[in-house]
Amino acid sequence: ALLVVAQVAKADGRLDEAEREYLRKLLDDTGSELTVDALLAVAGNRDLKELAGSVESYADRFAIALQAYLMAFVDWNLDASEKGLYDELVELLGIERGDLEIIAATEVKLRTPDGVPDHPRITELIGASSFA
């Protein structure tokens, strides 16, 4: 999951501080001892199709797609290369159309003052994932 999110972060050829901080937070949340730079180096050597193909659980695939989408928007700018990589990713992961709409709505919700995603489908899928 981290490798996929790192690929999205660097898809536009630059890594701003918001993207770096988001990756740092994800690394801290997972207890990884990798640095952001080390994660980016490893991610650069991996094939997206291979990474996506290794995820069996739909709940895990959804969680990865959600994190990738949030990464693409963390700098408030969805670059065409980030969008292209995200579109390829969700196709490889087989994310259902309704779930894609929920992911997009979640990003919008996170920009509001309360900033808490509240869709029950997110709770259901994240709870069923290995990331819970």
Side-chain angles (χ1 to χ4, degrees):
L2 289 171
L3 295 172
V4 170
V5 175
Q7 285 190 358
V8 172
K10 58 188 246 168
D12 62 0
R14 56 184 161 62
L15 188 73
D16 67 27
E17 190 53 38
E19 291 167 325
R20 184 173 285 282
E21 184 57 35
Y22 194 78
L23 287 173
R24 194 174 299 118
K25 181 186 178 316
L26 290 175
L27 286 166
D28 289 347
D29 288 350
T30 63
S32 174
E33 294 185 18
L34 284 175
T35 65
V36 170
D37 291 330
L39 175 65
L40 292 167
V42 172
N45 295 322
R46 301 295 299 269
D47 178 65
L48 186 64
K49 186 174 183 176
E50 173 190 333
L51 291 172
S54 69
V55 183
E56 295 179 21
S57 156
Y58 184 81
D60 286 351
R61 294 192 315 263
F62 175 85
I64 292 168
L66 175 62
Q67 288 300 325
Y69 193 82
L70 296 177
M71 172 54 78
F73 274 99
V74 77
D75 61 357
W76 306 102
N77 177 39
L78 181 62
D79 181 90
S81 54
E82 291 170 330
K83 173 79 167 104
L85 186 67
Y86 176 76
D87 289 345
E88 179 184 356
L89 174 64
V90 296
E91 184 176 321
L92 291 168
L93 292 173
I95 304 299
E96 298 169 8
R97 181 180 175 158
D99 289 338
L100 292 173
E101 293 169 2
I102 292 167
I103 288 170
T106 297
E107 185 276 327
V108 171
K109 176 73 172 168
L110 288 172
R111 294 181 191 227
T112 65
D114 67 349
V116 179
D118 58 359
H119 198 285
R121 180 78 170 148
I122 292 173
T123 304
E124 170 194 343
L125 287 171
I126 299 298
S129 77
S130 60
F131 306 110

